[in-house]
Amino acid sequence: APFGARSVGIEYDADLARLAGCLVQAEGVADKVRIVEGDIFKEDFTKATVVTMYLLPDLNLKLRPIILKMKPGTRVTSHQFHMGDWEADEKLNIEFRDAYVWYVPADVAGDWALKEESGGFEGVLTLAQRYQRVGGTITTGGKTQPLLSPTLTGDKLAFSFVDGENNLRTVKTTVSGATMSGDLSWFGRSTNISARRR
């Protein structure tokens, strides 16, 4: 495991857990890999930054609420099976088998007071969210505009909008709980911007 990575495998079947433990020893990675004989619904894996699963869809759906509470940006992969209406961020086909990748999305739904750090621009950002899919509006200068091409990948929210002077502006932020901060850019210029959930 390069880069100091450590892994924990949780296996319900005792024989498979023992076999996996033997393979870890045989490969000489016991200092980096730990196999736990346990129940995925009882073991705490919420501190993980990457989760890989090979479970049937009904188990994936039961795990989904736990996964969605994990740190935004946590990568989740599933061999072969999806997670219902939570669409994958990426779908891969490897050796004729499907694999899915999701990034746990930050919670961004609601109203946000948005302002330029230098004090020039202010607005209200209103966001609706279903997993990583977001949409919404921005109200500035008494005018409400739809967001253009909003994207949410983990804790990274980006969107564009047309301002009151008909300029296209782009916002790229990092979400942290009830705040976000990042850049507002237009015409090759950029300024710091922040927002607070109302």
Side-chain angles (χ1 to χ4, degrees):
F3 312 111
R6 298 195 177 282
S7 64
V8 176
I10 302 170
E11 174 54 56
Y12 188 76
D13 183 286
D15 291 335
L16 289 176
R18 277 192 294 279
L19 174 61
C22 289
L23 293 171
V24 164
Q25 292 291 331
E27 290 296 321
V29 292
D31 59 328
K32 296 176 180 73
V33 178
R34 185 167 61 93
I35 303 298
V36 175
E37 177 192 337
D39 183 336
I40 192 74
F41 296 101
K42 295 179 181 171
E43 300 293 332
D44 181 10
F45 61 92
T46 57
K47 300 288 189 258
T49 56
V50 177
V51 175
T52 61
M53 304 181 302
Y54 187 20
L55 302 170
L56 293 173
D58 61 326
L59 293 176
N60 284 358
L61 289 177
K62 283 179 70 176
L63 277 178
R64 191 171 70 184
I66 296 168
I67 291 169
L68 285 167
K69 290 179 183 172
M70 294 176 74
K71 183 179 178 181
T74 299
R75 291 167 290 170
V76 181
T77 64
S78 174
H79 176 96
Q80 197 64 30
F81 302 112
H82 59 78
M83 276 202 263
D85 65 342
W86 182 14
E87 297 174 45
D89 290 289
E90 299 174 42
K91 182 178 177 185
L92 310 168
N93 189 280
I94 302 167
E95 296 181 5
F96 308 105
R97 303 296 295 260
D98 290 330
Y100 301 92
V101 179
W102 296 265
Y103 300 93
V104 173
D107 173 15
V108 297
D111 292 334
W112 298 78
L114 190 66
K115 68 176 182 175
E116 185 180 355
E117 294 297 321
S118 62
F121 174 84
E122 289 188 5
V124 175
L125 182 62
T126 300
L127 297 172
Q129 176 179 13
R130 180 72 171 168
Y131 307 115
Q132 76 274 37
R133 302 286 183 231
V134 293
T137 61
I138 188 164
T139 303
T140 181
K143 187 175 180 184
T144 300
Q145 297 273 49
L147 301 182
L148 304 175
S149 304
T151 60
L152 178 63
T153 305
D155 62 352
K156 307 293 185 222
L157 173 68
F159 59 89
S160 296
F161 65 97
V162 178
D163 69 14
E165 288 81 47
N166 210 32
N167 299 313
L168 181 67
R169 294 191 183 220
T170 299
V171 173
K172 293 181 180 178
T173 66
T174 299
V175 181
S176 179
T179 63
M180 61 176 87
S181 60
D183 297 315
L184 170 67
S185 59
W186 71 105
F187 292 143
R189 293 181 286 173
S190 181
T191 185
N192 293 333
I193 196 161
S194 64
R196 182 168 295 281
R197 197 188 320 252
R198 291 176 151 186

